[in-house]
Amino acid sequence: MAAAAGVSTAAVSQAVNGTGRLAEATRRRVLEAAAELGWSPSASATALRRARTRTLALVVRRPTDVLGTDPHFGELITGLEGELAPRGYGLLLHLVAGMDQESALYERLTAEGRIDGAVLTEARVDDPRPAQLRDLQLPAVLLGAPDPGSPVPGVGLRRQGNGVHEAVDHLMALGHRRVAYVAGPRELVHTRLRLAAFEEALADRGLRPVAVRHTEFTEAAAFAVTEELLALPARPTALVFPNDSMAVCGIGAAQRAGLRVPEELSVIGYDNLPLGRWLHPRLTTVDQQVQRVGAAAARLLLRQCGEDVPPPVLDEVPRLVVRESTGPVPGEKSR
Amino acid sequence: MAAAAGVSTAAVSQAVNGTGRLAEATRRRVLEAAAELGWSPSASATALRRARTRTLALVVRRPTDVLGTDPHFGELITGLEGELAPRGYGLLLHLVAGMDQESALYERLTAEGRIDGAVLTEARVDDPRPAQLRDLQLPAVLLGAPDPGSPVPGVGLRRQGNGVHEAVDHLMALGHRRVAYVAGPRELVHTRLRLAAFEEALADRGLRPVAVRHTEFTEAAAFAVTEELLALPARPTALVFPNDSMAVCGIGAAQRAGLRVPEELSVIGYDNLPLGRWLHPRLTTVDQQVQRVGAAAARLLLRQCGEDVPPPVLDEVPRLVVRESTGPVPGEKSR
């Protein structure tokens, strides 16, 4: 094999064990020669990945228009890049239509030795990716609630339901009783987690949501669902949205319908994106610290890739940020 | 060299000439062996790049916080990915602090054979990148006004000044005479181009801007400059911003200062991001078709990389989209 690659046997062992001071080109040549010659495939495959590409994959499974409209991903990428850029790492961004496509992509990127690791976004219920990446021996982190059972470490804030609990407490304190909940896609873990927390918080007070609507996070859905909810016989006095972008659409739709926010309708978002500070009224939202989570994910992944970076610290919980889009339930003031 | 790489001489010529049906791993091994052995460096370097990585670089030189806050890049990436994703191409995103860092990065990515090409954003005055990428023999496109003299093809809408001209026409027709212009960084080509068009359009009517302020596209600058402009003795009745994000901040700042938009202040953005449709009032802005430009850039680059894709068609010009954030100059209505 040393002959095939045209190097010394010492170089081969260094390449395979990822030790020594081998030039990147030499190491790749050796490892690819090894892979080609079918020599101890798994070992060479593992070593192939030890050859640094300084590239981490971020695969996003969203309709492209949503990626374009939802600044959430800009925030996430910002958090990741904050840790990657100083170390010369890049983020290989792929958009895919479905789970099969995403799995095939990890297979190819790993086989071609194009990436050192991957950041998995949007944990699904029965998510097949953690097991796949473990089998590919590809370093990875999964954004979302940490799950001790998962083969891939999860990165997310603790007590994910806390933000929604605080949102309900806030609305109750303002006298709201008719609250509607706009949710994300059913298959997302955080959708179920937050909806459960929301219903639990209301149940603690013997209440139920006046309505729950699942959406695909689109702008169109935000407008449609807001108009539909505001047309309900028992019109909700407060709307809780699954992200800030949709909440902003909701405020716009309500204002166009002639409702004053927050005097006649309270609106709460989720994410705490800069966008929420730009508007008047400023958006009351749940801060899930997207950038900090992205930075922590990057650090954890860099460490898995053998980089010497301090361990991530992420002990925050999602907290409600009260601004101007929530107020006393209509009529309460005059009492 | 064939011996060193452990392949046939035929394979070598195929690898170097990018012909034949050579396995990716074999080709890379041959080419890296060639590079290593110092055999005809330039030829092998060129060929190394012929080895498809199905990866294109997008290097963004912005403070990370701006990338996070400005949805413009989300739109651009969406446009690029719309063409790349179906062909299995990924976008390698790197954030850099300065021009030196950006140049060094192209050197490294090219030397390591990590990318097939690069999308250059934000054309600078005296931009060194086109010449550098030509010297690296790396396929590239430059976003912005097409410049026949550039070694790298430019991708952008024709008649870039048209949007600003239409904005001025619109404001004049509404009776505005005191118009302030918020600009981007001086070193950006589009900053100079649009400011020149703005001042020219006003000069056609014997007018000058009441104020021009250069900014770094930050949210903080948008708030500060809006407050400063609204405090001017000859307060402008209309503000023109360099992007939609800053225009939204401007509207928020004006509303918090107690001014009604558009009744007491007209505001115009630039980009036509979805964000502008979410708000009430909806944002009047210049549509520069970020997604279409991104898609055209991707196609042009894919063709340079030897992919069989239809040539991009981009015959639009920037057009003003009149919505709800502009209205008659205060007092005009009652006349």
Side-chain angles (χ1 to χ4, degrees):
Chain A
M1 204 210 94
V7 298
S8 71
T9 48
V12 171
S13 84
Q14 285 184 15
V16 173
N17 302 316
T19 58
R21 301 218 163 286
L22 222 50
E24 195 59 37
T26 314
R27 153 173 284 140
R28 293 193 65 82
R29 193 167 91 249
V30 170
L31 298 174
E32 281 161 353
E36 183 100 337
L37 299 171
W39 171 85
S40 175
S42 72
S44 60
T46 310
L48 241 178
R49 283 199 298 278
R50 286 216 197 95
R52 296 287 156 73
T53 63
R54 274 179 286 181
T55 300
L56 302 177
L58 177 68
V59 181
V60 176
R61 185 144 39 79
R62 285 272 187 110
T64 50
D65 62 318
V66 174
L67 179 73
T69 53
D70 187 356
H72 173 96
F73 286 98
E75 284 285 291
L76 173 62
I77 289 171
T78 299
L80 290 163
E81 286 284 355
E83 295 289 328
L84 301 185
R87 299 172 174 92
Y89 273 69
L91 203 57
L92 178 58
L93 187 67
H94 273 271
L95 253 67
V96 295
M99 184 63 84
D100 295 350
Q101 217 185 329
E102 182 171 0
S103 297
L105 185 61
Y106 293 128
E107 294 280 355
R108 170 165 77 81
L109 294 175
T110 307
E112 294 180 359
R114 301 227 180 275
I115 53 176
D116 296 339
V119 179
L120 305 182
T121 64
E122 310 206 290
R124 297 312 208 239
V125 178
D126 304 322
D127 201 322
R129 297 172 298 172
Q132 182 198 9
L133 270 61
R134 176 202 52 205
D135 297 346
L136 289 172
Q137 299 180 49
L138 185 71
V141 293
L142 176 61
L143 297 182
D147 166 10
S150 171
V152 164
V155 179
L157 302 186
R158 296 180 301 108
R159 292 167 49 206
Q160 298 252 324
N162 185 71
V164 175
H165 268 283
E166 289 189 4
V168 170
D169 292 345
H170 173 59
L171 292 174
M172 294 299 128
L174 291 169
H176 294 272
R177 295 296 178 267
R178 296 204 308 278
V179 184
Y181 188 81
V182 181
R186 296 174 192 278
E187 67 273 19
L188 295 189
V189 170
H190 70 61
T191 295
R192 301 193 178 195
L193 213 142
R194 293 188 211 158
L195 177 54
F198 181 78
E199 290 177 322
E200 176 187 285
L202 281 180
D204 291 347
R205 297 167 171 79
L207 296 173
R208 299 176 57 245
V210 294
V212 173
R213 300 287 183 268
H214 285 276
T215 70
E216 292 295 323
F217 291 131
T218 64
E219 152 188 7
F223 287 120
V225 82
T226 301
E227 285 156 18
E228 184 243 322
L229 291 171
L230 295 180
L232 290 176
R235 196 181 82 197
T237 61
L239 305 181
V240 178
F241 285 90
N243 63 45
D244 288 352
S245 307
M246 294 183 76
V248 169
C249 294
I251 290 176
Q255 289 174 331
R256 266 185 285 281
L259 288 177
R260 286 170 302 135
V261 177
E263 293 80 359
E264 295 170 289
L265 179 73
S266 286
V267 175
I268 298 182
Y270 203 102
D271 262 349
N272 191 25
L273 301 179
L275 172 60
R277 296 189 304 260
W278 301 348
L279 315 170
H280 179 73
R282 293 191 182 90
L283 185 65
T284 295
T285 185
V286 173
D287 184 1
Q288 65 170 345
Q289 310 204 36
V290 181
Q291 284 198 29
R292 282 189 59 91
V293 171
R299 280 197 185 183
L300 193 61
L301 197 45
L302 286 168
R303 288 169 65 86
Q304 286 187 54
C305 296
E307 292 290 337
D308 177 25
V309 300
V313 180
L314 199 64
D315 50 15
E316 295 86 348
V317 301
R319 302 302 306 268
L320 183 71
V321 180
V322 177
R323 295 204 184 99
E324 305 160 351
S325 64
T326 46
V329 67
E332 288 292 299
K333 278 184 189 153
S334 53
R335 281 182 201 165
Chain B
M1 201 209 94
V7 299
S8 71
T9 48
V12 171
S13 84
Q14 284 184 13
V16 173
N17 302 317
T19 58
R21 304 216 162 285
L22 221 51
E24 194 60 35
T26 315
R27 153 173 283 142
R28 294 193 63 82
R29 195 169 86 247
V30 171
L31 298 173
E32 280 160 354
E36 184 102 334
L37 298 171
W39 170 85
S40 176
S42 72
S44 59
T46 310
L48 242 179
R49 285 200 298 277
R50 286 216 198 96
R52 295 288 156 74
T53 63
R54 272 178 289 183
T55 300
L56 303 176
L58 177 68
V59 181
V60 176
R61 186 144 39 78
R62 285 270 186 112
T64 50
D65 60 318
V66 174
L67 179 73
T69 53
D70 187 356
H72 173 96
F73 285 98
E75 283 285 290
L76 173 62
I77 289 170
T78 299
L80 291 163
E81 286 285 355
E83 295 290 326
L84 301 185
R87 299 171 176 91
Y89 273 68
L91 203 57
L92 179 58
L93 188 66
H94 272 271
L95 252 68
V96 295
M99 184 62 86
D100 295 350
Q101 215 185 329
E102 182 170 359
S103 297
L105 185 62
Y106 293 128
E107 294 280 354
R108 170 165 76 80
L109 294 176
T110 307
E112 294 180 359
R114 302 228 179 274
I115 53 176
D116 297 339
V119 179
L120 306 182
T121 63
E122 310 206 290
R124 297 303 208 252
V125 177
D126 304 323
D127 200 323
R129 297 172 298 173
Q132 182 197 9
L133 270 60
R134 176 201 54 206
D135 298 345
L136 290 173
Q137 299 180 47
L138 186 71
V141 294
L142 176 61
L143 297 182
D147 167 10
S150 171
V152 164
V155 178
L157 303 185
R158 296 180 301 105
R159 292 167 48 208
Q160 297 253 324
N162 185 70
V164 175
H165 267 283
E166 289 189 3
V168 171
D169 292 344
H170 173 60
L171 291 173
M172 293 300 127
L174 291 169
H176 293 272
R177 295 296 177 269
R178 297 203 309 278
V179 184
Y181 188 80
V182 181
R186 295 174 193 278
E187 66 273 19
L188 295 188
V189 169
H190 69 62
T191 295
R192 300 193 179 196
L193 213 143
R194 293 189 213 157
L195 177 54
F198 181 79
E199 289 177 322
E200 175 188 286
L202 280 179
D204 292 347
R205 297 167 172 81
L207 296 173
R208 299 176 56 243
V210 295
V212 173
R213 299 288 184 268
H214 285 276
T215 70
E216 293 294 325
F217 291 131
T218 64
E219 153 187 5
F223 287 121
V225 82
T226 302
E227 285 157 18
E228 185 242 321
L229 291 171
L230 294 181
L232 290 176
R235 196 180 82 197
T237 60
L239 304 181
V240 178
F241 285 90
N243 63 44
D244 287 351
S245 307
M246 294 184 75
V248 169
C249 293
I251 291 176
Q255 289 173 331
R256 267 186 284 280
L259 287 177
R260 286 170 300 136
V261 177
E263 294 79 358
E264 296 169 290
L265 179 72
S266 287
V267 175
I268 298 181
Y270 203 101
D271 263 348
N272 192 24
L273 302 180
L275 172 60
R277 296 189 304 260
W278 300 348
L279 313 170
H280 178 75
R282 292 191 184 89
L283 185 65
T284 294
T285 185
V286 172
D287 185 1
Q288 67 169 342
Q289 310 202 37
V290 181
Q291 283 198 29
R292 282 189 59 91
V293 171
R299 279 198 186 183
L300 194 61
L301 197 46
L302 286 169
R303 288 170 66 87
Q304 287 187 54
C305 296
E307 292 290 336
D308 177 25
V309 300
V313 180
L314 199 64
D315 50 14
E316 295 86 349
V317 301
R319 302 303 305 270
L320 183 70
V321 180
V322 177
R323 295 204 185 99
E324 305 160 350
S325 64
T326 47
V329 67
E332 289 292 300
K333 279 182 189 154
S334 52
R335 283 181 198 165

